[in-house]
Amino acid sequence: MRRPSWLSLAYVLLAVAGGALLWLPFHTQRALDDWGVTLRERGTPARAVVVDQVTESGGNRSSSSSTMYFRYVVDGRTHSQEVPCFEVCRAAGTEVPIWVNPADPGDFVTDFGQLSGHRGRVQGVLGAVGLVALGTGVVLTLSRVRSRRGGRLGQNAARPDRPRRVAPVADGQGYAGRGKRKHNVRR
């Protein structure tokens, strides 16, 4: 059965869209790293205190995640913000140097390079979706290319110029052998 040619285009577009979605988290992480450097250069220095640390169980499907809750003072006002524990997780009561965005006091970077808030989660999920879409699109495109070439590639490919060998079997039905071993043939 021949599939329509628009299906080939759909498979290629699925692979391209998957590649773009897979690229998104890497681009976002690079932009966040650049923003962290900018905050360290231009931000207002402050000291934050870790007031709490919470670890949530991920259950059967994912690993647990930890979050630190910071409290800090900028321009005489007290602010609270959370920071995910990826590489570093400080205990409650620990004082941490931070650099705060003067235009948005809820935006800061820590001395260990972590930005405030949970940034990039959506892009991470989109990247996982992109990986699946890319893989599916590539597999479907390659299967489409293989089917256009006339079946399986390699030794066992059907060749229109070579007729199939048919060997009779005991019950009178023919056996169309393709491989080296012919089952159901009695000698």
Side-chain angles (χ1 to χ4, degrees):
M1 183 174 160
R2 194 154 189 209
R3 292 180 242 170
S5 60
W6 62 266
L7 208 49
S8 295
L9 179 62
Y11 295 160
V12 170
L13 289 176
L14 179 65
V16 169
L21 288 174
L22 184 61
W23 170 80
L24 183 63
F26 296 105
H27 171 71
T28 301
Q29 187 58 49
R30 199 169 334 139
L32 291 175
D33 290 344
D34 291 345
W35 180 240
V37 170
T38 301
L39 279 177
R40 280 182 164 221
E41 292 170 354
R42 300 182 186 156
T44 304
R47 310 255 333 138
V49 175
V50 179
V51 293
D52 197 8
Q53 182 192 82
V54 176
T55 301
E56 294 178 7
S57 172
N60 294 346
R61 297 181 183 238
S62 64
S63 60
S64 60
S65 64
S66 296
T67 302
M68 296 176 285
Y69 293 91
F70 286 16
R71 185 167 292 136
Y72 54 98
V73 177
V74 176
D75 295 331
R77 299 181 96 185
T78 302
H79 301 276
S80 296
Q81 190 59 265
E82 59 185 41
V83 174
C85 297
F86 288 123
E87 296 174 10
V88 177
C89 209
R90 302 281 169 89
T94 306
E95 195 171 279
V96 177
I98 62 172
W99 290 265
V100 181
N101 180 354
D104 179 9
D107 185 20
F108 65 84
V109 64
T110 64
D111 67 333
F112 49 89
Q114 188 65 46
L115 291 167
S116 59
H118 292 276
R119 302 172 193 228
R121 277 187 177 175
V122 172
Q123 290 85 353
V125 171
L126 289 176
V129 169
L131 180 62
V132 171
L134 176 65
T136 303
V138 167
V139 167
L140 291 173
T141 301
L142 290 177
S143 71
R144 177 82 171 155
V145 168
R146 289 178 81 184
S147 70
R148 282 188 167 218
R149 288 188 180 169
R152 293 179 285 155
L153 300 175
Q155 287 183 336
N156 296 332
R159 296 181 185 168
D161 59 334
R162 283 177 64 189
R164 288 180 155 182
R165 289 180 281 157
V166 178
V169 290
D171 61 1
Q173 294 179 349
Y175 173 81
R178 284 186 165 185
K180 294 179 182 177
R181 297 184 184 127
K182 295 181 177 73
H183 301 286
N184 300 329
V185 177
R186 297 184 186 182
R187 293 181 188 189

